[in-house]
């Protein structure tokens, strides 16, 4: 028997799913689509049921991909459990009544029952059961209240008969039901509601968003630095003697020694510069990268579940329209600040091809992942804060200029922002921990082989002389156009595997401060790391990926070249001022060459294609 | 008595009313309907982000952000 959990997005379906199924859950793609769903098992009265968490949907409309998947799944399920947000019963009932028309055994779970009580909403469950003809259970997905009763009802419910209604009749019926079962009592605004309103206030909202994002990143970087210091101290105390011992065992200058341990200067190992798999490789992963990744996902996981991220999307909507996107695209971009892979994966939630293409290109070109950021802060920070600022203002100006170019050139349409704003909710600590653990283990699986393998790989390339050869071939481009020494080639090669390891490779070269800035910017722009490239290929397809790669290539030459040129005449401070001016002018004043026309056309195409 | 008709984007904050007309294609109408915005819905404007940003409305108990361009196509009969 298969039980399907069905409901609108943001109704707490997943937490009910977790309570019903426990730990053994598999996430898979629905055949032939990019739509993901979770599957688990429930055992009740010695009977085993398969439980499927159907992707959230507002209605059954076989036109949209995710909704078509939902419709397919419902056809094949045995028992339907419709999870609704009690605080929004009216809107949720639209789906409920469409589900009743299938005539399958069905239970209605009035989730967020407690929230509704706090909001002064009460529902007459008995009356609702009688009108709908199915069992109705009040639940709280966060605490698990009501789920025992839900299980009992699920396993005993019967098929029903229901007459198919037209759209108009359905809404009329919903109006009737609501007036009979729902009771509203007036009450005062709570503190949390005041905070919700402030977050999207016309003036305070944007200022607060900038402050929140700034503080979050500031905190990650400061706390990360501190943790890195502590961890490297631990490395010195516990790991260094072990490595020294191993070094003695390997006895000096053979190949295995240089691959595993790397260079020892004056009988001491510098973990950052030694470039061995067991020294720099292990150190970069655990001491430099991991602390930042954990901090990033802990904080963003919280903001996400708390409900602040959707508000950031709304606030940045206007800015993103400048580059041919709408506010929701900011979610993949923010995720990409942690790691580009989940960022590019999240792009699939965007509605049109144009949105998906622009968002993924901008993300791959201008957004360094947290691991890379951590090493940029370390490597460039050593040269002085002004150079660090220059790095990020440069990336920001590339973001907006490239975005505006793409907006004018990429064909297709961009939808207007339209989204539900979930209320603030204090996230469940255990769920946060679970999510964090999942994301970290994902990073481990992905990062460790690439960082260790990458360092090994570059070591081998060095010994075979391949890197010198590539350096000579690309010298006109790298030295001539961008003014970088040939040695950076090694970092650029490794950057196609892991960007963080590549930045780490720049430090021992001994670049000048400005060269360092150029190198890390070029390293960010020229090509995504292999993991990101793989998902990019999967999400965009070959044709668009080739286009994306070409854009990256030309962007690298344009940005590297112009930085090199401008750097000859201006000081870093002047460069920063120029870049900030570019950002402000593009962001506020240039109206976009064809924006008015294109947006009007967009609406027409949207209408024509959907009729 | 003639009631005042305004597009959503031009309403004042905390003004409420009833949706009278949605002048968009079927795609737009369906997307709005799924979120509970259809002709006859009670709607309250809560705020609008500065510089023609999205409009925040309250429909039932749900807050919804509507892009400015879409908000300028929703006609609302404003309550007294």
């Amino acid at each position: 028997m298969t039980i399907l959990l069905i409901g609108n997005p943001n109704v707490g379906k997943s937490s009910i799913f977790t309570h019903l199924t426990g730990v053994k859950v598999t996430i898979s793609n629905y055949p032939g689509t990019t739509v993901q769903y979770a599957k688990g098992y429930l055992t009740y009265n010695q009977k085993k049921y398969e439980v499927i968490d159907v992707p959230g949907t507002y209605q059954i409309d076989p036109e949209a991909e995710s909704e078509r998947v939902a419709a397919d799944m419902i056809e094949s399920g045995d028992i339907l459990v419709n999870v609704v947000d009690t605080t929004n019963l009216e809107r949720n009932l639209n789906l409920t009544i469409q589900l009743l028309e299938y005539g399958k055994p069905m239970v209605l779970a009035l989730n967020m029952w407690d929230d509704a009580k706090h909001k002064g909403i009460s529902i007459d469950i008995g009356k609702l059961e009688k009108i709908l003809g199915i069992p109705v259970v009040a639940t709280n997905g966060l605490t698990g209240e009501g789920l025992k009763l839900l299980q009992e009802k699920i396993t005993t419910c019967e098929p029903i008969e229901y007459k198919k209604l037209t759209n108009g009749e359905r809404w009329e019926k919903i109006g009737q039901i609501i007036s009979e079962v729902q009771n509203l009592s007036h009450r005062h605004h709570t503190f949390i509601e005041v905070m919700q309103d402030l977050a999207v206030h016309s003036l305070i909202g944007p200022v607060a968003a900038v402050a929140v994002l700034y503080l979050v990143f500031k905190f990650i970087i400061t706390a990360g630095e501190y943790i890195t210091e502590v961890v490297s101290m631990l490395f010195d105390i516990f790991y260094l003697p072990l490595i020294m011992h191993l070094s003695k065992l390997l006895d000096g200058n053979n190949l295995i020694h240089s691959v595993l341990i790397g260079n020892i200067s004056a009988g001491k190992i510098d973990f950052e510069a030694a470039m061995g798999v067991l020294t720099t490789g292990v150190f970069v992963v655990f001491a430099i990268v991991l602390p930042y990744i954990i901090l990033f996902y802990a904080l963003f996981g919280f903001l996400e579940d708390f409900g602040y991220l959707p508000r950031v999307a709304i606030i940045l909507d206007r800015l993103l329209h400048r580059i041919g996107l709408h506010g929701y695209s900011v979610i993949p971009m923010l995720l990409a600040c942690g790691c580009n892979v989940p960022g590019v994966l999240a792009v699939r939630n965007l509605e049109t091809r144009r949105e998906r293409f622009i968002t993924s290109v901008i993300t791959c070109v201008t957004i360094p992942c947290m691991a890379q950021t951590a090493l940029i802060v370390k490597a460039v920070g050593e040269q002085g804060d002004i150079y660090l600022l220059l790095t990020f203002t440069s990336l920001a100006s590339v973001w907006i200029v490239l975005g505006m170019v793409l907006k004018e050139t990429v064909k297709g349409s961009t939808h207007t922002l339209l989204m539900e704003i979930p209320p603030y909710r204090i996230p469940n600590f255990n769920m946060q921990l679970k999510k964090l653990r999942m994301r970290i283990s994902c990073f481990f699986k992905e990062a460790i082989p690439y960082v260790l393998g990458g360092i090994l790989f570059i070591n081998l390339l060095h010994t075979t002389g391949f890197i010198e050869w590539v350096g000579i071939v690309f010298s006109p481009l790298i030295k001539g156009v961008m003014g970088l020494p040939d040695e950076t080639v090694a970092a650029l090669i490794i950057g196609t595997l892991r960007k963080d390891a590549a930045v780490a490779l720049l430090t021992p070269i001994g670049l000048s401060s400005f060269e360092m800035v150029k190198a890390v910017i070029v390293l960010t722009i020229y090509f995504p790391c292999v993991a990101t490239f793989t998902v990019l290929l999967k999400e965009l397809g070959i044709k668009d990926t080739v286009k994306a790669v070409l854009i990256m290539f030309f962007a690298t030459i344009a940005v590297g070249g112009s930085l090199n040129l401008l750097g000859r005449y201006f000081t870093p401070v002047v460069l920063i001022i120029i870049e900030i001016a570019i950002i402000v002018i593009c962001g506020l004043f240039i109206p976009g060459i064809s924006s008015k026309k294109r947006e009007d056309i967009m609406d027409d195409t949207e209408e024509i294609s959907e009729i | 008595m003639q009631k005042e008709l305004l597009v959503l984007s031009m309403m004042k904050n905390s003004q409420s009313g009833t949706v009278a007309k949605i002048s968009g294609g079927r795609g737009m109408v369906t997307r709005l309907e799924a979120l509970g915005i259809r002709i006859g819905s009670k709607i309250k404007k809560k705020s609008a982000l500065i510089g023609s940003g999205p409009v925040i409305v309250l429909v039932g108990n749900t807050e919804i952000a509507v892009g400015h361009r879409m908000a300028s196509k929703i006609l609302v009969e404003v309550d007294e």
Side-chain angles (χ1 to χ4, degrees):
Chain A
M1 294 282 263
T2 308
I3 300 170
L4 301 179
L5 292 185
I6 312 155
N8 288 184
N10 293 317
V11 296
K13 209 158 44 72
S14 300
S15 49
I16 289 194
F17 176 79
T18 317
H19 274 289
L20 287 180
T21 57
V23 279
K24 272 191 80 178
V25 171
T26 53
I27 309 251
S28 30
N29 269 21
Y30 194 76
T33 66
T34 54
V35 180
Q36 289 189 318
Y37 70 98
K39 190 164 93 175
Y41 294 93
L42 159 74
T43 312
Y44 190 80
N45 279 348
Q46 279 106 41
K47 269 183 82 179
K48 199 172 174 189
Y49 298 86
E50 190 181 70
V51 186
I52 290 178
D53 188 359
V54 178
T57 174
Y58 287 110
Q59 60 202 335
I60 301 188
D61 173 8
E63 272 173 39
E65 188 180 41
S66 61
E67 286 167 5
R68 194 169 56 233
V69 168
D72 273 5
M73 285 178 155
I74 294 164
E75 290 287 354
S76 64
D78 300 307
I79 303 167
L80 311 183
V81 179
N82 179 207
V83 183
V84 300
D85 172 0
T86 314
T87 61
N88 272 312
L89 190 59
E90 181 168 7
R91 199 193 66 208
N92 281 253
L93 278 178
N94 182 33
L95 179 67
T96 307
I97 292 182
Q98 291 185 21
L99 291 174
L100 283 172
E101 290 166 6
Y102 282 86
K104 303 205 173 203
M106 179 165 151
V107 182
L108 187 70
L110 292 178
N111 201 26
M112 306 189 179
W113 183 257
D114 293 43
D115 279 7
K117 240 180 4 199
H118 291 306
K119 287 193 173 173
I121 300 165
S122 65
I123 307 286
D124 186 336
I125 293 185
K127 226 182 220 169
L128 189 59
E129 278 189 328
K130 208 178 279 165
I131 298 174
L132 295 176
I134 55 168
V136 177
V137 184
T139 58
N140 181 339
L142 290 182
T143 59
E145 284 167 275
L147 291 181
K148 271 270 158 323
L149 185 63
L150 182 66
Q151 289 178 19
E152 191 193 312
K153 297 282 187 191
I154 290 173
T155 48
T156 54
C157 64
E158 307 267 326
I160 41 159
E161 287 232 3
Y162 214 85
K163 187 172 87 74
K164 224 172 156 52
L165 300 175
T166 65
N167 230 7
E169 287 170 343
R170 202 184 312 125
W171 284 110
E172 200 177 307
K173 170 137 189 138
I174 292 166
Q176 236 169 24
I177 297 175
I178 290 295
S179 66
E180 278 188 51
V181 303
Q182 182 169 283
N183 217 325
L184 300 177
S185 55
H186 186 76
R187 91 226 128 75
H188 289 287
H189 270 279
T190 61
F191 173 68
I192 242 175
E193 282 169 333
V194 174
M195 296 304 287
Q196 275 172 200
D197 289 351
L198 283 181
V200 286
H201 183 273
S202 51
L203 282 171
I204 300 169
V207 177
V210 170
V212 167
L213 291 179
Y214 174 78
L215 285 177
V216 164
F217 279 101
K218 184 85 190 158
F219 176 80
I220 293 173
I221 286 171
T222 318
E225 258 170 38
Y226 178 74
I227 298 174
T228 297
E229 232 168 78
V230 173
V231 176
S232 46
M233 221 161 67
L234 295 177
F235 257 77
D236 280 345
I237 299 171
F238 296 105
Y239 193 63
L240 188 63
L242 204 75
I243 289 294
M244 288 312 273
H245 193 70
L246 184 70
S247 166
K248 274 206 194 84
L249 273 179
L250 289 170
D251 193 29
N253 282 328
N254 55 46
L255 182 67
I256 302 172
H257 184 278
S258 76
V259 166
L260 289 183
I261 294 174
N263 314 311
I264 295 190
S265 45
K268 257 205 69 99
I269 291 177
D270 180 351
F271 278 120
E272 276 171 56
M275 278 300 137
V277 174
L278 292 179
T279 50
T280 305
V282 173
F283 185 78
V284 163
V285 171
F286 286 96
I288 304 187
V289 173
L290 194 60
Y292 291 92
I293 296 274
I294 294 178
L295 285 166
F296 179 86
Y297 282 124
L299 281 174
F300 271 83
F302 178 81
L303 286 181
E304 191 183 8
D305 290 359
F306 183 66
Y308 190 68
L309 284 194
R311 289 170 170 82
V312 174
I314 292 160
I315 287 161
L316 294 181
D317 182 57
R318 197 69 206 119
L319 178 66
L320 285 153
H321 269 293
R322 295 250 159 215
I323 62 168
L325 299 172
H326 69 65
Y328 194 79
S329 305
V330 88
I331 308 267
M333 289 187 190
L334 280 175
L335 277 176
C337 293
C339 170
N340 278 194
V341 171
V344 174
L345 280 175
V347 164
R348 67 164 64 141
N349 295 329
L350 303 176
E351 283 146 333
T352 68
R353 181 203 152 257
R354 181 172 188 248
E355 290 167 40
R356 286 193 291 267
F357 184 76
I358 298 181
T359 310
S360 21
V361 170
I362 289 275
T363 300
C364 290
V365 170
T366 62
I367 300 181
C369 63
M370 202 65 229
Q372 197 186 347
T373 307
L375 282 151
I376 289 177
V377 168
K378 206 159 173 347
V380 182
E382 278 169 6
Q383 319 283 338
D385 285 347
I386 197 81
Y387 289 100
L388 199 57
L389 185 62
L390 177 62
T391 308
F392 288 109
T393 50
S394 302
L395 288 175
S397 49
V398 176
W399 186 89
I400 197 148
V401 172
L402 178 64
M404 290 178 80
V405 172
L406 290 177
K407 179 190 178 180
E408 297 302 328
T409 48
V410 178
K411 286 202 195 80
S413 62
T414 295
H415 275 299
T416 313
L417 180 83
L418 177 67
M419 64 191 279
E420 185 182 343
I421 316 175
Y424 283 159
R425 289 203 182 94
I426 305 297
N428 178 300
F429 183 71
N430 282 329
M431 289 239 237
Q432 287 279 296
L433 219 56
K434 218 178 190 175
K435 214 165 160 180
L436 183 63
R437 210 176 53 209
M438 215 173 70
R439 283 174 165 165
I440 300 296
S441 68
C442 195
F443 163 76
F444 262 98
K445 258 188 273 167
E446 205 239 51
I448 293 206
Y450 284 120
V451 173
L452 300 188
I455 286 176
L456 179 71
F457 181 65
I458 213 75
N459 254 323
L460 292 176
L461 287 186
H462 252 304
T463 19
T464 54
F466 180 75
I467 288 184
E468 276 167 40
W469 180 78
V470 175
I472 293 165
V473 173
F474 284 95
S475 188
L477 205 59
I478 290 170
K479 197 183 252 163
V481 178
M482 299 184 265
L484 289 171
D486 291 342
E487 289 93 325
T488 40
V489 169
L492 289 175
I493 291 176
I494 215 63
T496 58
L497 292 172
R498 281 290 304 176
K499 294 285 180 84
D500 43 1
V503 179
L505 276 170
L506 290 174
T507 315
I509 299 177
L511 298 169
S512 75
S513 305
F514 190 64
E515 280 171 348
M516 193 61 153
V517 173
K518 273 188 297 187
V520 296
I521 290 170
V522 166
L523 203 50
T524 308
I525 298 175
Y526 79 118
F527 199 77
C529 68
V530 67
T532 309
F533 183 75
T534 316
V535 287
L536 194 67
L537 193 63
K538 217 170 76 191
E539 296 296 316
L540 292 186
I542 292 178
K543 215 174 123 196
D544 278 352
T545 307
V546 171
K547 280 186 203 162
V549 170
L550 286 176
I551 292 170
M552 287 165 198
F553 180 74
F554 287 113
T556 311
I557 294 177
V559 175
S562 47
L563 265 179
N564 187 30
L565 199 68
L566 292 172
R568 283 189 203 150
Y569 304 106
F570 300 111
T571 60
V573 181
V574 178
L575 279 179
I576 291 171
I577 294 170
I578 293 175
E579 284 168 354
I580 291 178
I582 291 175
I583 297 167
V584 170
I585 290 169
C586 290
L588 296 179
F589 300 114
I590 297 181
I593 305 159
S594 66
S595 71
K596 198 88 213 151
K597 218 168 71 197
R598 187 183 289 276
E599 290 195 352
D600 286 334
I601 293 167
M602 257 190 278
D603 269 355
D604 294 342
T605 49
E606 186 193 330
E607 283 161 28
I608 290 163
S609 65
E610 303 226 17
I611 281 169
Chain B
M1 187 182 70
Q2 192 74 39
K3 279 202 177 172
E4 194 185 357
L5 282 170
L6 271 180
V7 287
L8 187 52
S9 52
M10 287 166 77
M11 281 167 71
K12 282 202 235 33
N13 287 352
S14 77
Q15 229 173 8
S16 47
T18 312
V19 176
K21 193 178 174 221
I22 298 174
S23 27
R26 201 179 78 86
M28 181 175 143
V29 171
T30 326
R31 282 176 80 204
L32 285 167
E33 194 172 72
L35 288 167
I37 302 177
R38 57 183 192 283
I39 293 170
S41 310
K42 293 268 171 228
I43 200 168
K44 182 179 179 190
K45 179 167 174 178
K46 293 197 76 169
S47 96
L49 270 297
I50 189 168
S52 309
V55 177
I56 316 293
V57 296
L58 189 71
V59 179
N61 283 298
T62 319
E63 278 183 24
I64 295 167
V66 184
H68 187 265
R69 211 150 35 83
M70 202 184 269
S72 65
K73 292 182 174 177
I74 300 172
L75 202 60
V76 179
E77 201 178 88
V78 180
D79 292 346
E80 294 300 303

